[in-house]
Amino acid sequence: MRILHISTRLILGGSQENTVLSCEGQLLRGHEVHLAYGPIFGPEGSLLDRVRQSDERHEGERIVTHEVPHLVREVSTLADWRGYQEVRRLIREVQPDVVHTHSSKAGILGRAAAWAERGHPSRQGRPLGVVHTIHGPPFMPGGAGSASIARLVSGLKTGINNGVYTLAERFAAARCHVIVSVADAMTRTFLDRGIGRAEQYVTVYSGMETERFVRADAGEDRSAIRSRLGFAPGDFVIGSVARLAQHKGHDDVLDALTDDLLASAPWRLLWVGDGWWRERLERRLESLGLRDRAVLTGLVPPERVPGLMRAMDVLVHASTREGLPRTVPQAHLCGVMPIAYACDGAPEAIERLSDDELSGTGVLVEPGDLQGLRAAVKWASENPDARQAAAGRGRAIAAVRFSAEGMVEALEGVYERALGLAGR
């Protein structure tokens, strides 16, 4: 089978990791795999080197890469039209059996282009299956709090943007055969907005390289990493692995925990990742008197993430906009209990800790509940045995539910279904 994946940006991120692992798994299964993407720039890093080294890891077979110059994240009528035409030409050149799009912009332009190419004479009647994966909602969460003029203007802008995205996603859903959700929550969100038909959707949980998180390489164990980061053995390390960007919750962590971080000698922050908000967040840490309580690693290669996770005592993922937060099962695999906002797919990655603490894999907090977030972290610091037991239960579940192999196997069935529908 010849498969063409299309993603907007090949930066270091959950949806991009999911896409690359899908490509690599399909390559191992003997498929011819192509990956198209827009220009890569910014502080978030890139997965392109890994993709280009695929032939070194897969016995000479490689993922064929294609940069689409005008496939950009920002909405631009001229650039989007050019990007659409470029994707159409690429599909005509590659002649795939399946086009699989990822992320909102690539999903909208890619599905429209693939649908238009189905009947092109160059295909000679061969069916073309069109598949899209929802990695996260394109819709922005609404604001809360006092009704200031600025907040009202921001809310109006968000409402307009969400309305435009809804119409665009409805258009694109009518131009594909199967829509893959990385969590059931994504299906509910899209159907509630009238996007697509229920029978189009299938959930395939986001896969990851589970073994890399379970087993520590030499020098990557917990004590070695903590020592290199400057943490003392008795420090309680509150970590996150996320872009330093809007909706990722770093400000909520500071709002909830500043008093405790200042008052409690062993509490430390470990923030893994980089992004456009780094300088602002560093200034805020400085203004709160917390700069010496926090370690910001900046951008790190993916292979270093498991070791940095093992250095944590708890992962706090206070994101308000997710598909399925991959860092949650990754924390479980590393033996670290997560605390997360109960939004989007997070409740599918965490089983809520029971009142008797004998079941469950982590703590879920309602988005924006700063007191709840503080209480959860405080409980985790005071109950290490219960915390570690929850992490252990989570590891057993994550190793099966979120494996890359399971994801690739499920996608085989998705493609067969799409091709069956395309051939009708």
Side-chain angles (χ1 to χ4, degrees):
M1 190 185 304
R2 186 177 298 150
I3 305 162
L4 171 61
H5 291 267
I6 307 175
S7 181
T8 310
R9 298 191 302 162
L10 207 58
I11 60 172
L12 292 178
S15 70
Q16 292 81 6
E17 284 185 18
N18 173 300
T19 302
V20 170
L21 287 172
S22 298
C23 290
E24 291 179 345
Q26 289 158 3
L27 201 65
L28 286 172
R29 287 172 170 261
H31 299 304
E32 180 182 329
V33 183
H34 296 250
L35 175 58
Y37 50 87
I40 305 167
F41 59 90
E44 299 99 335
S46 169
L47 282 168
L48 186 56
D49 284 345
R50 171 167 179 155
V51 172
R52 287 178 170 168
Q53 293 165 5
S54 58
D55 56 342
E56 299 176 10
R57 297 191 304 276
H58 299 109
E59 301 179 356
E61 297 296 325
R62 70 186 184 94
I63 300 165
V64 183
T65 58
H66 309 268
E67 182 171 320
V68 181
H70 291 94
L71 184 58
V72 295
R73 185 180 186 184
E74 296 75 18
V75 175
S76 167
T77 303
L78 181 58
D80 292 345
W81 173 250
R82 289 176 174 173
Y84 166 76
Q85 295 292 344
E86 288 164 353
V87 173
R88 284 198 66 172
R89 286 194 293 272
L90 179 61
I91 293 170
R92 207 170 301 160
E93 173 191 331
V94 172
Q95 290 294 313
D97 300 296
V98 171
V99 170
H100 187 166
T101 63
H102 307 262
S103 70
S104 187
K105 176 61 80 68
I108 291 165
L109 297 184
R111 281 180 280 179
W115 205 253
E117 284 296 310
R118 290 176 308 142
H120 192 272
S122 64
R123 295 201 62 80
Q124 299 179 341
R126 289 170 42 244
L128 175 61
V130 184
V131 175
H132 175 65
T133 291
I134 304 168
H135 295 278
F139 320 111
M140 295 292 182
S146 61
S148 66
I149 295 297
R151 189 173 294 279
L152 288 172
V153 171
S154 176
L156 179 61
K157 182 179 178 181
T158 296
I160 292 171
N161 287 341
N162 286 349
V164 170
Y165 270 118
T166 297
L167 292 174
E169 289 288 349
R170 287 176 185 171
F171 168 86
R175 286 158 179 81
C176 71
H177 298 104
V178 183
I179 302 172
V180 177
S181 296
V182 295
D184 292 339
M186 294 298 94
T187 298
R188 292 192 296 270
T189 296
F190 275 60
L191 286 177
D192 286 348
R193 287 181 173 269
I195 298 168
R197 308 179 311 278
E199 60 269 22
Q200 281 182 283
Y201 288 84
V202 60
T203 295
V204 177
Y205 284 125
S206 193
M208 51 205 70
E209 297 169 294
T210 55
E211 192 67 17
R212 185 159 62 91
F213 291 89
V214 171
R215 298 190 184 281
D217 294 331
E220 293 295 307
D221 59 279
R222 173 180 166 85
S223 59
I225 296 291
R226 285 172 68 97
S227 177
R228 289 204 293 271
L229 291 170
F231 294 132
D235 283 346
F236 178 69
V237 179
I238 304 157
S240 76
V241 181
R243 292 194 301 277
L244 303 182
Q246 189 179 18
H247 304 303
K248 292 300 182 181
H250 298 89
D251 283 303
D252 278 16
V253 170
L254 295 180
D255 290 340
L257 303 183
T258 289
D259 289 346
D260 295 282
L261 285 161
L262 291 172
S264 180
W267 282 28
R268 297 286 187 273
L269 293 175
L270 172 58
W271 287 353
V272 180
D274 207 341
W276 301 106
W277 280 21
R278 176 167 181 163
E279 289 186 7
R280 186 190 69 76
L281 288 169
E282 286 182 323
R283 288 195 301 270
R284 187 161 186 224
L285 285 166
E286 193 75 40
S287 70
L288 292 170
L290 294 176
R291 192 60 191 87
D292 63 344
R293 315 288 291 179
V295 174
L296 279 66
T297 67
L299 187 66
V300 299
E303 58 269 20
R304 282 194 57 204
V305 171
L308 291 166
M309 277 192 162
R310 291 186 200 101
M312 301 171 186
D313 292 288
V314 66
L315 176 93
V316 175
H317 191 73
S319 174
T320 56
R321 183 168 174 251
E322 289 290 337
L324 185 133
R326 292 166 61 84
T327 58
V328 167
Q330 287 170 355
H332 279 141
L333 292 166
C334 289
V336 175
M337 191 198 78
I339 297 169
Y341 277 165
C343 71
D344 298 327
E348 295 171 58
I350 294 178
E351 293 183 7
R352 194 183 296 269
L353 202 64
S354 63
D355 290 339
D356 60 9
E357 302 167 5
L358 297 178
S359 64
T361 65
V363 181
L364 289 165
V365 179
E366 289 307 305
D369 180 3
L370 301 183
Q371 288 303 314
L373 190 62
R374 175 182 179 272
V377 174
K378 189 172 176 59
W379 174 88
S381 72
E382 295 172 350
N383 295 273
D385 292 342
R387 181 184 80 222
Q388 289 163 11
R393 292 189 291 267
R395 172 182 279 184
I397 295 169
V400 176
R401 184 179 294 172
F402 301 106
S403 73
E405 296 81 8
M407 175 182 69
V408 172
E409 176 67 30
L411 288 177
E412 292 283 304
V414 168
Y415 294 168
E416 290 176 10
R417 177 179 163 188
L419 284 168
L421 293 169
R424 290 181 182 177

